[in-house]
Amino acid sequence: MEYALRHFGEREIDTILGDIIKHVTPDRAFEQHYGQLQSIVDKIVTHIHDFSRLFSINKFLPFIDLFQKESVKVEVCKLVLETFVRYQLEPTSDLVIVNALMFLARIMHDSVNALSLEDEMRHIGQLVCGFLKRVSVGTDYEQQLSFAVESRSSFSNLEPVLVYLVQSVNELAIETRRVVKGHHTRKTAAFVRACSAYSFITIPSVGNVLLRLNLYLVSGQVALLNHCLSQADSFFKAAISLLPDVPVVMEIDGKLRSTEPLLLDYIANLCSTLLVVPDPPESGVLYLARGLLNVLQTYAWDFNSDAKVKAYLSILSLLSAMAQETYAYHITGVDSDDRLYGNDPKFLAELQKLSDTILGEVLQQLHELADVPQRQGALAVALLGVGIVHGDLADAKFATLLANLWALALKTGGTDSRLLSRHATYLRRQKAAGRAIADELIQRL
């Protein structure tokens, strides 16, 4: 066979494969020669890397069908897909290639079940993702979305593929926004809403909680960029509702690890996004921030960790940013709460009330850590940093609180003196730049 592959063309190879099929089909003789048949496929894909040539061999797919034993057939499909992923450098729009490889990829997908090893599922998922990345349906965005819908139905048991499909549809929505330069027509607005609906339907099928959370957040951000406010709202509500399902520990890279660092990073990212999310008319003021706070209060935090308080500090930073007359950043075409409420006293009162509640919780935790000075000092420094950056330093009462936190950090020991020094330098520079800072705070420093 190798001689034919080296010196003959597709017609002669097609004839040879047809002759092999003819000889091994009677009495299912092929079942006794799986090893030799698999070797033939291996030699074919080793010598033919142009898949338009490969699938011009009419007997190639019927030859693949000779492998009736599932485990052998899956290995043969892997051989073909691995070759395609390795050598197909440019996306292809050839329907013959796409349909043939989709057929082989479905065979691999259908072999996955509850007893499949995780490494096997990961490998198959990577091959299918590699194949999908190399499929091009041109600039017809609706056709690309239709292909994503078909792929979702074909590979619903492969988590990496579902994640890839959600991200590719989000990318499609962003590309649509780029083409229309942020000004959607009725048709493009309906299309990006369809993209959001696709993601919202697909994400719950992803098993990993952290992946689901990140997909909800990214998809919500994409919907917000495309002015799909109700869809973005649904994504963020789903993300907040999912937070209680995050386990305290989970297997990451083969080892059991605490999820708290990842959760804290996620909450900080979510809070930075919620700053520009406008309150819907039918909902109450700050309803997403309140919902997030309620979830964090009931989450099963590790008693020996300060992660809960650090999460509160992220929300405290968010509320402080919301109290500004003009927010630090906006999304073009989206009116955030600074424009909706216009620094309304009632809105500011709600912010103050919620901030006082959170600050009270943090100070209560500080008081309860009196017997653990190291943790108490670290928490005091964290609160001090948030207060210096986001607080009203001209308020004498608040300045006294910060001065007391400073003293507590020094008293407990174990605090990074360089961090305190940077805080002091920052305050002096702010004072020199004209920021209103209570004299008591500067004197205490």
Side-chain angles (χ1 to χ4, degrees):
M1 190 69 192
E2 189 163 356
Y3 180 85
L5 289 165
R6 285 180 181 274
H7 303 288
F8 297 153
E10 288 77 34
R11 188 177 64 178
E12 289 79 12
I13 296 170
D14 190 51
T15 302
I16 293 172
L17 291 181
D19 195 51
I20 294 174
I21 293 171
K22 180 180 177 181
H23 282 81
V24 299
T25 300
D27 300 325
R28 299 179 66 86
F30 53 79
E31 293 181 347
Q32 309 300 320
H33 303 284
Y34 280 146
Q36 293 92 325
L37 297 175
Q38 187 173 349
S39 177
I40 291 173
V41 175
D42 190 11
K43 286 182 171 59
I44 290 174
V45 296
T46 299
H47 287 83
I48 302 178
H49 301 153
D50 183 347
F51 275 73
S52 59
R53 285 183 58 208
L54 178 64
F55 290 118
S56 69
I57 301 173
N58 295 327
K59 297 297 183 181
F60 181 72
L61 287 180
F63 189 83
I64 297 290
D65 285 335
L66 290 175
F67 299 92
Q68 298 293 311
K69 188 177 180 181
E70 184 182 67
S71 59
V72 181
K73 192 165 193 172
V74 169
E75 290 302 317
V76 171
C77 293
K78 284 182 188 177
L79 276 176
V80 180
L81 265 294
E82 284 170 355
T83 304
F84 179 78
V85 170
R86 185 180 300 116
Y87 294 104
Q88 185 70 34
L89 302 180
E90 297 295 329
T92 179
S93 57
D94 189 323
L95 289 179
V96 174
I97 296 175
V98 172
N99 290 333
L101 291 177
M102 183 70 85
F103 169 72
L104 299 180
R106 285 196 190 103
I107 292 173
M108 294 194 304
H109 167 268
D110 294 343
S111 70
V112 172
N113 54 48
L115 300 178
S116 299
L117 296 176
E118 187 174 339
D119 288 344
E120 174 75 2
M121 294 174 66
R122 186 185 300 113
H123 184 212
I124 292 176
Q126 289 172 345
L127 288 176
V128 175
C129 287
F131 156 60
L132 295 176
K133 288 177 183 177
R134 289 161 177 79
V135 174
S136 169
V137 291
T139 57
D140 187 339
Y141 290 174
E142 291 182 350
Q143 185 63 32
Q144 291 183 40
L145 183 59
S146 298
F147 181 72
V149 172
E150 180 188 354
S151 299
R152 181 181 62 191
S153 64
S154 299
F155 308 115
S156 57
N157 292 331
L158 295 174
E159 184 173 278
V161 178
L162 295 178
V163 173
Y164 167 76
L165 289 172
V166 171
Q167 294 286 44
S168 65
V169 169
N170 284 335
E171 186 178 350
L172 188 59
I174 291 296
E175 182 64 17
T176 303
R177 178 180 183 270
R178 187 191 65 79
V179 169
V180 300
K181 298 180 180 178
H183 302 288
H184 285 291
T185 64
R186 180 179 297 180
K187 183 177 181 180
T188 60
F191 177 74
V192 293
R193 286 196 296 270
C195 290
S196 292
Y198 175 93
S199 298
F200 194 77
I201 292 170
T202 307
I203 292 172
S205 300
V206 176
N208 187 295
V209 177
L210 294 179
L211 283 176
R212 253 186 295 163
L213 279 173
N214 282 306
L215 289 174
Y216 275 132
L217 180 56
V218 171
S219 300
Q221 292 167 341
V222 170
L224 203 58
L225 280 170
N226 281 297
H227 308 160
C228 302
L229 300 185
S230 61
Q231 286 81 1
D233 194 55
S234 298
F235 281 117
F236 296 134
K237 285 195 292 187
I240 292 171
S241 301
L242 187 60
L243 285 172
D245 294 341
V246 178
V248 177
V249 294
M250 67 184 301
E251 187 174 329
I252 301 173
D253 296 332
K255 296 181 180 179
L256 282 179
R257 301 180 188 273
S258 171
T259 59
E260 285 184 353
L262 299 173
L263 188 57
L264 289 175
D265 286 344
Y266 182 83
I267 291 169
N269 193 352
L270 177 60
C271 287
S272 68
T273 302
L274 293 183
L275 176 63
V276 294
V277 179
D279 288 333
E282 68 275 8
S283 303
V285 177
L286 304 173
Y287 87 109
L288 283 176
R290 292 179 189 278
L292 178 59
L293 182 60
N294 291 336
V295 166
L296 297 181
Q297 286 174 333
T298 58
Y299 182 73
W301 299 97
D302 184 356
F303 181 75
N304 297 316
S305 166
D306 298 322
K308 180 179 180 180
V309 177
K310 292 177 181 177
Y312 281 172
L313 293 180
S314 291
I315 300 181
L316 204 56
S317 301
L318 167 65
L319 296 176
S320 173
M322 284 181 163
Q324 309 306 309
E325 288 188 21
T326 303
Y327 291 171
Y329 48 88
H330 293 89
I331 291 178
T332 304
V334 176
D335 289 333
S336 301
D337 286 344
D338 59 336
R339 295 169 182 167
L340 292 180
Y341 295 112
N343 233 26
D344 183 82
K346 292 182 179 180
F347 176 65
L348 295 178
E350 288 291 332
L351 288 172
Q352 186 64 51
K353 182 179 177 181
L354 198 54
S355 299
D356 289 343
T357 301
I358 296 173
L359 186 57
E361 293 270 358
V362 175
L363 293 176
Q364 177 64 28
Q365 180 69 8
L366 263 177
H367 177 72
E368 293 174 359
L369 289 175
D371 296 332
V372 194
Q374 293 278 4
R375 286 176 59 192
Q376 190 183 46
L379 191 56
V381 172
L383 179 55
L384 177 65
V386 172
I388 288 174
V389 175
H390 298 283
D392 182 5
L393 301 183
D395 184 273
K397 186 177 178 181
F398 187 70
T400 301
L401 171 62
L402 294 183
N404 292 336
L405 289 172
W406 193 288
L408 179 62
L410 293 174
K411 175 184 174 183
T412 53
T415 304
D416 189 348
S417 59
R418 292 174 297 180
L419 180 58
L420 292 178
S421 177
R422 285 198 294 270
H423 285 332
T425 302
Y426 172 79
L427 285 173
R428 293 191 185 97
R429 288 176 178 172
Q430 290 291 302
K431 181 75 171 178
R435 183 179 178 184
I437 300 177
D439 291 334
E440 179 188 356
L441 181 56
I442 297 295
Q443 291 169 3
R444 292 287 292 272
L445 295 186

